[in-house]
Amino acid sequence: MSVVRYLAGVVAGLIIILASLTPTYAQDMETRVIVPDVPGGALFTGCYQVQQRLYGPYRMTFCLEQRGTYTVRGGGVRCDGRLTWSARGRDINIQLKRTSCGNGVAWSADRMTCRGGNLLPAFLAQIIVPDLPVLQTLRCTYTPSVSSERPTQITARRVD
């Protein structure tokens, strides 16, 4: 019987270790990413506005929520799409879903890999979520799905 208990303990330990290695998905709205000098990590869920234009005239806003969304406006185009995201360590991985914008135009299924920039001021972070810092900006690599377009560095600022 002690061998069975031992094996059960080993299996339980492996399950715990494997669970800690898998990415955190959008179902957990208390998800945090590692930020230097913030031992418990920082919250990043919420909405962000990309500060640079994409593909020329287009502006993007995206929300990292349970049901992630993004909006693209500019050049006579209005796109409202979905996204999925996961977090692991310092990285937030975002996958845009291809979406129709109307008039025979679609936004491609691009992806972004982001890391936290600066934090909200401590007094404001305490009002939003006591004892937990909140990221104010994300620095991202925006990678188009179209091979002729090159990845670009963007900054996204919290809007909510």
Side-chain angles (χ1 to χ4, degrees), residues 58-145:
Y58 306 108
R59 291 259 183 218
M60 175 184 278
T61 302
F62 61 92
C63 297
L64 302 176
E65 299 167 335
Q66 272 188 321
R67 298 184 66 130
T69 59
Y70 70 94
T71 301
V72 176
R73 302 282 186 265
V77 171
R78 289 181 58 105
C79 302
D80 295 303
R82 296 259 182 225
L83 61 82
T84 57
W85 60 268
S86 65
R88 180 181 219 152
R90 294 179 62 186
D91 294 332
I92 304 163
N93 298 300
I94 302 167
Q95 179 65 55
L96 304 177
K97 303 289 185 181
R98 181 179 169 88
T99 190
S100 174
C101 306
N103 297 327
V105 177
W107 195 261
S108 56
D110 300 339
R111 62 186 165 88
M112 294 184 275
T113 301
C114 303
R115 286 194 172 176
N118 57 349
L119 300 169
L120 282 176
F123 72 91
L124 188 54
Q126 295 300 317
I127 294 168
I128 296 171
V129 181
D131 301 324
L132 195 58
V134 177
L135 289 173
Q136 184 178 7
T137 61
L138 297 176
R139 291 192 179 99
C140 308
T141 300
Y142 187 94
T143 306
S145 62

